[in-house]
Amino acid sequence: MSPLAPPCEPKVLSVAVVAPGLGEFDYDWPPQILTERDLEVRSGDWLVVPFAKRVLLAVVIHSNKEPGDSDRFKRRQVLGRFTAIPSLTKPQIEFLTFIASYYRSSLGSVLSMVIPAWLRSSKNLLASCEPETATAKSPLQKLLQKYAADLLRQPKETGSRADPPSSVHPLLLTAEQQQAIEIATDSLGFREPCKNHAKPVYLQGVTGSGKTLVYVELIKRLWQINPEAQVLYLVPEIALTPVLKSRLLDALSLEPEALSILHSGMTDRQRASSWMQAVHGVTQLILGTRLSLMTPLPRLAMIVVDEEHDSSYKSQDSVRYSARDLAAYLASQQSLRLVMGSATPSLESLAQIEKGRYRLVRLLKQATGAPRAALVMVNLNKERMACAGVLTDTVHKAVEETLGRGRQVLFFLNRRGYAPLLSCPSCGWTQGCEHCSVSMVLHKKTRQWQMICHHCGIVKKPQPRCPSCGAAELTGQGFGIQSLEEQLAAVFPGVALTRVDSDSAGTMEKMTQMLKQLQQPKPEIILATQILAKGHDLPGLSTVVVLDVDAQLLSPEFRAPEWLFSTLLQVSGRAGRHEDQARVFLQTRYPTHPLFQGLKGDDPASYLHALLEERRQALLPPYGHIAALRMTARTELAVQDQFNRLYEALVQSKPADCQVHRPSPSYPEKRANQYRWHMVLESSRRGPLNAGLELALAIAQAQGLRDLIIDVDPLGLS
Ligand code: ADP
Ligand code: ZN
Ligand code: ZN
């Protein structure tokens, strides 16, 4: 033992290392830096540790593990403390541990999502271990200094928040909004704050009903009883944050410094900076996308999950978590107030409402007082596409009439590019992607034709002639939004035409700029994909035309009807927020389909209840529980072989009450040169599903299968 050995037996620290795939490891304190303060290391404290040949951030899980549990000669020594980040509290550690165990991931993977990459770069970590010199300051030290300054400015005066600045004219709440706020106030326990009986609130409000203002009012009430509380406001998409940010600052009379924005579209450094303000409690309102749920906020008291039905809340990356589900867990674990909202509740939430776990509050009218747009089914079995091959006479007339009134028309077509296929009319050959098992999509870029793969992103020139039969003429099949644009320009010459899709509005700046222009009511035709479906208010929009939805009606995915319904309702909700002549046209061959009838009805929830009943019958989520195991390999044979071995062994060991489905190819089977397969486990109860999953993972490990992706509560079965 070293002569510098401390007088007392040093503790062994069990730490979770912040790197994907890693779990807990034991470390020793270096004897030479053992001061009394160092001995006071607690669980939740951050450390810098050596790991293999790297220097990594780690968090203490157990601070006084018995020495002797692990091999002391293998144990390495901690390099130092990392004090830039506040220590995690016990409930925070429990929450992160829960995420790792529920989604069958590692604590290291979860922590890698929690801590912004910039903060834990080895350069920053090492700099933090060295004694600070007056001359050279590391970027981290500079950042920390900035926070110290911010923190000194605390506590901020809260008085200014009570009276709104004179420049803003607050909207008068509608009667419905007022009633919603009162009920929610009761349910969230704002009247009797000492009682810990807050029940989550579910705000089901039609598009344009003014849900934002209700959230705002509830946040104000929280701050009345708890002025220091932090609020986490989740939105599904980055695109929604800039507009919402200014709305929230205005409505809550907040200084911009009191709000942190967190989403994946920021640079590492920006995110680190915003994140630091949030975790140090400098900011009070945290507006972010799904990942921001992982932020360890010191005074978090309420979570708002807007558009909770949106599938973007489910991550498709390494840890396949659902921020919506985790928000509910976190709220109950830490007694936080929870408000979820949407026009079309997810069936998971609808089931919770039915069970009485959420207090349902409804807004059935548009806040502007305008009536809902009338829905017109255009029956394609009776009416032909008279105009340009895509429009019926009915729609053509409606467009002309709307433009004549000086209003905007929105065509909704969820298909990027010019044509979904380029194929040979004589032999039927189509140009596919060499890296994926899909056709490439014909795009028009200024004056050039391009073939783009929507799965791997590769760009190619179109084949000049058919490589199969030599025919010289290849033609685009079907239509995408770019060819629709051409056709509409020909049918309505001289009319302003704006296409909004990820090709024309791919960046946040472009999108923001386009939205600004579209705010101006004028005779204009807008063509848009899904990108414009959500949240955007276009005051001049009077008519919406939904094209080509029939294909989506036939999708085999079990959540497809739920998603299509909510998309269509959202798109329809764009029309006529500020007028009473608005109409939505839907061209379809199945005008009597229950989904369309559901859209027509007064209450969107009635169709969703019918879907929920189907799920109950079929024992699908939320009544049954599923998990998918996914695997990829360079060859089809390899992935199929490995999966089949796993399947056989799993079926042999007969997991109780857990059904194991045969492995099958995912869609698309090949993506970016990787063959993708999956296998689904299903049970009517969570316990047996978990046990089955455990068994499968043990077998996979014994078989040496690596890189198995585990998808608990997957979005789909393919
Ligand atoms: P939702 O999220 O429910 O679709 P928003 O909160 O975006 O609706 O509000 C829709 C529109 O209604 C916005 O333009 C908003 O300014 C307006 N609005 C909301 N509340 C009121 C109100 N009380 N009076 C007038 N307009 C309102
Ligand atoms: Zn051919
Ligand atoms: Zn491809």
Side-chain angles (χ1 to χ4, degrees), residues 48 57 75 222 273 284 320 375 389 412 453 514 583 586 612 642 651:
V48 180
L57 184 64
R75 280 200 305 265
L222 170 73
S273 172
Q284 277 203 279
R320 301 202 160 201
L375 183 63
F412 178 72
C453 173
M514 261 189 179
R583 279 174 300 171
L586 230 146
L612 189 59
Q642 288 176 327
V651 169

Side-chain angles (χ1 to χ4, degrees), residues 433 435-436 453 456:
C433 175
H435 308 291
C436 310
C453 173
C456 71

Side-chain angles (χ1 to χ4, degrees), residues 237 412-414 500 528-534 552 567 570:
E237 267 189 44
F412 178 72
L413 177 65
N414 208 9
V500 190
T529 56
Q530 187 105 359
I531 198 169
L532 200 67
K534 295 171 193 170
Q552 293 175 67
T567 305
Q570 270 183 334

Side-chain angles (χ1 to χ4, degrees), residues 433-438 440 453-458 670-672:
C433 175
E434 55 194 290
H435 308 291
C436 310
S437 52
V438 295
M440 295 187 94
C453 173
H454 285 188
H455 287 270
C456 71
I458 198 169
K670 182 180 162 202
R671 188 164 72 197

Side-chain angles (χ1 to χ4, degrees), residues 152-305:
L152 283 179
R153 274 199 268 123
Q154 292 270 315
K156 286 197 312 298
E157 285 168 34
T158 46
S160 64
R161 199 182 290 127
D163 27 41
S166 48
S167 62
V168 189
H169 301 289
L171 291 169
L172 281 180
L173 293 168
T174 64
E176 262 194 342
Q177 283 171 324
Q178 239 158 23
Q179 200 187 7
I181 291 161
E182 290 314 315
I183 300 173
T185 299
D186 269 339
S187 184
L188 295 174
F190 288 145
R191 285 193 225 287
E192 294 167 279
C194 338
K195 275 200 188 167
N196 224 349
H197 291 139
K199 188 185 213 179
V201 165
Y202 196 100
L203 182 60
Q204 189 210 326
V206 299
T207 32
S209 59
K211 292 187 282 294
T212 318
L213 215 52
V214 175
Y215 302 140
V216 160
E217 209 51 47
L218 296 174
I219 296 172
K220 282 187 187 163
R221 295 200 177 189
L222 170 73
W223 282 342
Q224 269 164 17
I225 58 166
N226 184 356
E228 294 295 303
Q230 286 183 305
V231 176
L232 177 63
Y233 194 124
L234 297 178
V235 289
E237 267 189 44
I238 301 173
L240 298 174
T241 51
V243 177
L244 189 58
K245 177 186 171 181
S246 52
R247 271 180 84 183
L248 290 175
L249 289 179
D250 263 7
L252 291 164
S253 317
L254 277 184
E255 300 296 324
E257 299 86 59
L259 187 146
S260 290
I261 290 215
L262 288 171
H263 58 66
S264 54
M266 306 164 89
T267 65
D268 268 5
R269 182 68 195 267
Q270 279 173 334
R271 185 172 163 242
S273 172
S274 224
W275 188 87
M276 286 286 261
Q277 305 198 20
V279 301
H280 280 281
V282 178
T283 47
Q284 277 203 279
L285 184 59
I286 292 87
L287 173 60
T289 48
R290 63 171 184 251
L291 188 60
S292 58
L293 182 87
M294 307 259 172
T295 318
L297 299 166
R299 299 190 309 276
L300 180 61
M302 178 158 127
I303 309 177
V304 174
V305 188

